[in-house]
Amino acid sequence: MPDAVVIGAGPNGLVGANILADAGWSVEVLEEQDQPGGAVRSDRGVDPAFVSDVFSAFYPLAAASPALGALRLEDEGLRWSHAPQVLAHPLPDGRCAVLDRDLAATAANLETFAPGDGAAWQDLHAVWDRVGEDLIGCLFAPFPPLRSGMKLLASVRAAGALRLARTMLLPVRRLGEEHFDGEGGRLLLAGNALHADLSPESAVSGGFGWLMCMLAQTHGFPVPVGGAGALTQALVRRLEHRGGRVRCGQRATEVVVRGGRAVGVRTAYGDAVRARRAILADVSAPTLYTRLVAEEHMPPGLLRDLRRTFQWDFSTFKVDWALDRPVPWAAPEAAGAGTVHIADGVDDLTRFAAQIATKHVPDRPFALFGQMTTADPTRSPDGTESAWAYTHVPQDIKGDAGDDGLTGAWDEREQNLMADRLEVRIESYAPGFRDRIRGRRILAPTTLQSLNANLEGGAINGGTTALHQQLVFRPTPGTGRPETPVKGLYLASAGAHPGGGVHGACGANAARAALHTPGLQYAISAAQRAITRRPPKP
Ligand SMILES: Cc1cc2nc3c(=O)[nH]c(=O)nc-3n(C[C@H](O)[C@H](O)[C@H](O)COP(=O)(O)OP(=O)(O)OC[C@H]3O[C@@H](n4cnc5c(N)ncnc54)[C@H](O)[C@@H]3O)c2cc1C
């Protein structure tokens, strides 16, 4: 019988499993799909000569994450690669905002939009320099972040606590207007806020946009050499070197509870896997509380909150391409960027978000476009490009803001029409793009969910990033901690604080909560010893 069972081999499950294994626990990970990784996987499904990231692709949060950093995955063969530029946002008039890892280069680009905007970017970065590390420590710790909170408070005092708090709460449109006269800086902030489901007018979209931009400025948007799957492989290898096991094709159907304590997991095959000490669930909050744990073990208030107040994030529609040649961007500055944002301006982003809010499929989708061979030349043959784009659509669709009558049925006809809509959008910034397509793969919301049950309805972040479902409100108003109403059971997925993205903090917080359960202090000291020890090789 293992000490711990982890349900789900996404990055959070695997980080949690590694931390438990470091503490000397035996760990078994049960994964529904035939491969580990959750939304961190790559394959050659579009074209055998091209590596495509099936879901996530760029990892600034992983680069900044203390939890992932402590695992020293480079010792397991993980290597990172960067595109020449981090991010580009071309405009219809040919200008292009560019975020470069060289601060002076970003500032010089923004200066072309309006005099003084380069210095404004450097000012925003100076604040990050003072508080960034402590802020990340604080955001990624379980709530309340006591030790990291004190450190942040000390650094924030110097930077002006009230000003920083205000910046974090601002809608990104307002933040951009306060700092920049030109469109470039405003677009970088607002486009990054829309990496989550935060419209330019929503509270904290300013803080989130600033955070993502500053992570980009400091760490870039790195990608694993060889594909996103290389990150997963490193996590699995590390776990296996410590005696842990990942079993794929094992869908958990029930968390078995005896006397108020989680004692095991039943799988779709009817097997029961007992857990001596803890169960970490890298599944969505609704799945854990309404499908895996029997209702009688759940407080009625929590179930009511899940039904009434829990909000999924936007749904997602993704297309992967194998391109014969690089993307023919009209703005040459976009050619070297790993990520390219497609939107005609901040107003266009607002229009896009408003169409989603009113349950309409956007007619001019905001696209995040990835140039993976530009970021990592191993992804496809010389002179070609492994590319993808995704956009968001509503979870519930009332109508189509475009002319195609899309209903959200996402049958073959609707999938092709929506993929064409994305291609037309890209074509308007890169005339000739469609002529370079050698192969394409469509990942509609239904497809995403079939490949990973956590991506319910195409949601990518385990629930909205909006303020009302963050911190102590995540996943429902409560503690903001990974403990659940069932002893020995921990929510370890992006559904828990601090939410979506590949940083492993949700899994790390769950593992640490399990290790700190009273009576397990010996495990904590073993974990501390393990951290200072170099990982053993097999
Ligand atoms: C299209 C897309 C693009 C994204 N882009 C980025 C990006 O570029 N950068 C970034 O940082 N983040 C990105 N994200 C978000 C990020 O990938 C997720 O937030 C992150 O993977 C969450 O990790 P997790 O471990 O909580 O869950 P997941 O990665 O979703 O993993 C959950 C795992 O649990 C398994 N599972 C679920 N139910 C069961 C069950 N009953 N029994 C057994 N196993 C089960 C699933 O099969 C899956 O393997 C993206 C996500 C998507 C979908």
Side-chain angles (χ1 to χ4, degrees):
M1 183 193 315
D3 291 313
V5 173
V6 176
I7 306 171
N12 280 312
L14 291 173
V15 167
N18 268 283
I19 290 173
L20 294 178
D22 283 346
W25 286 28
S26 53
V27 185
E28 192 159 316
V29 183
L30 303 176
E31 167 54 48
E32 175 177 9
Q33 300 290 328
D34 60 4
Q35 287 172 48
V40 185
R41 283 163 51 182
S42 41
D43 68 8
R44 293 179 181 270
V46 182
D47 184 301
F50 287 62
V51 174
S52 301
D53 291 340
V54 185
F55 312 95
S56 60
F58 289 98
Y59 299 107
L61 292 165
S65 162
L68 273 167
L71 298 183
R72 303 163 63 115
L73 294 175
E74 291 72 14
D75 292 347
E76 301 295 336
L78 180 65
R79 296 282 173 272
W80 294 102
S81 182
H82 289 270
Q85 281 83 39
V86 184
L87 177 77
H89 195 133
L91 283 166
D93 62 11
R95 290 176 303 155
C96 185
V98 179
L99 203 162
D100 192 296
R101 279 191 293 155
D102 176 356
L103 178 61
T106 310
N109 170 270
L110 296 184
E111 195 66 17
T112 64
F113 284 84
D117 278 7
W121 183 266
Q122 284 172 322
D123 288 347
L124 285 175
H125 188 259
V127 178
W128 172 260
D129 258 352
R130 285 200 291 275
V131 304
E133 202 179 315
D134 295 332
L135 184 65
I136 288 290
C138 210
L139 285 176
F140 285 178
F143 214 79
L146 293 175
R147 201 169 347 141
S148 47
M150 294 308 286
K151 277 183 77 185
L152 177 63
L153 211 59
S155 46
V156 163
R157 267 199 199 108
L162 282 175
R163 270 179 211 288
L164 182 69
R166 180 174 176 280
T167 300
M168 295 303 289
L169 289 172
L170 277 180
V172 75
R173 177 186 289 277
R174 180 70 205 156
L175 181 70
E177 286 170 357
E178 287 184 6
H179 287 269
F180 299 103
D181 290 329
E183 267 188 291
R186 295 176 183 182
L187 270 175
L188 291 182
L189 289 170
N192 272 284
L194 264 152
H195 283 221
D197 58 332
L198 295 171
S199 79
E201 282 66 42
S202 60
V204 304
S205 58
F208 189 84
W210 172 72
L211 179 80
M212 289 301 293
C213 282
M214 294 304 125
L215 286 174
Q217 189 62 77
T218 312
H219 299 282
F221 279 4
V223 305
V225 172
L231 173 54
T232 294
Q233 283 157 19
L235 281 164
V236 171
R237 246 192 324 264
R238 189 182 186 283
L239 177 65
E240 288 174 348
H241 289 164
R242 284 155 182 77
R245 195 152 80 110
V246 180
R247 286 169 59 204
C248 290
Q250 301 289 327
R251 181 164 67 89
T253 52
E254 184 189 349
V255 172
V256 182
V257 180
R258 296 279 179 269
R261 186 173 181 86
V263 296
V265 175
R266 215 178 294 284
T267 71
Y269 294 118
D271 299 341
V273 186
R274 291 179 65 84
R276 195 176 293 125
R277 290 173 174 155
I279 295 170
L280 268 56
D282 183 12
V283 303
S284 75
T287 293
L288 180 62
Y289 294 139
T290 67
R291 291 166 209 147
L292 294 188
V293 178
E295 191 174 343
E296 71 213 62
H297 305 299
M298 283 289 131
L302 173 60
L303 295 177
R304 214 171 26 245
D305 278 342
L306 271 176
R307 270 195 306 272
R308 285 200 195 146
T309 68
F310 180 84
Q311 185 183 342
W312 284 108
D313 43 304
F314 295 162
S315 180
T316 307
F317 189 99
K318 181 170 185 272
V319 184
D320 298 325
W321 293 280
L323 303 178
D324 275 334
R325 280 171 292 152
V327 182
W329 297 108
E333 300 95 318
T339 302
V340 182
H341 288 168
I342 306 284
D344 299 348
V346 176
D347 289 353
D348 205 38
L349 290 171
T350 294
R351 184 177 178 278
F352 165 79
Q355 289 178 340
I356 295 182
T358 55
K359 302 188 191 306
H360 283 79
V361 179
D363 54 350
R364 288 204 308 260
F366 162 56
L368 284 104
F369 188 93
Q371 309 196 88
M372 303 317 295
T373 311
T374 299
D376 166 20
T378 70
R379 302 295 180 95
S380 67
D382 275 355
T384 66
E385 187 71 71
S386 175
W388 55 259
Y390 72 74
T391 188
H392 293 298
V393 292
Q395 282 278 346
D396 301 314
I397 292 173
K398 206 164 75 180
D400 185 2
D403 298 328
D404 299 316
L406 298 176
T407 65
W410 301 127
D411 53 20
E412 200 181 336
R413 187 189 74 89
E414 290 204 3
Q415 291 192 23
N416 281 317
L417 285 168
M418 188 65 194
D420 290 347
R421 192 177 293 184
L422 262 176
E423 286 179 3
V424 167
R425 192 86 178 109
I426 295 154
E427 181 86 18
S428 70
Y429 284 88
F433 167 73
R434 298 186 88 181
D435 298 337
R436 299 180 178 205
I437 298 173
R438 178 198 291 198
R440 90 172 176 187
R441 167 174 68 187
I442 300 173
L443 296 159
T446 38
T447 326
L448 290 170
Q449 185 173 341
S450 71
L451 295 171
N452 176 350
N454 285 24
L455 310 178
E456 201 158 316
I460 66 172
N461 281 326
T464 182
T465 306
L467 184 57
H468 60 260
Q469 204 163 293
Q470 287 298 346
L471 308 169
V472 291
F473 305 118
R474 192 168 190 88
T476 58
T479 64
R481 294 190 53 82
E483 287 89 349
T484 70
V486 177
K487 281 197 207 91
L489 176 65
Y490 303 88
L491 180 62
S493 71
H497 168 75
V502 177
H503 44 65
C506 313
N509 290 343
R512 291 192 190 111
L515 291 172
H516 283 75
T517 301
L520 295 178
Q521 289 306 317
Y522 69 93
I524 298 165
S525 29
Q528 284 161 346
R529 278 199 303 278
I531 287 167
T532 51
R533 213 173 47 210
R534 269 189 79 78
K537 289 281 180 195

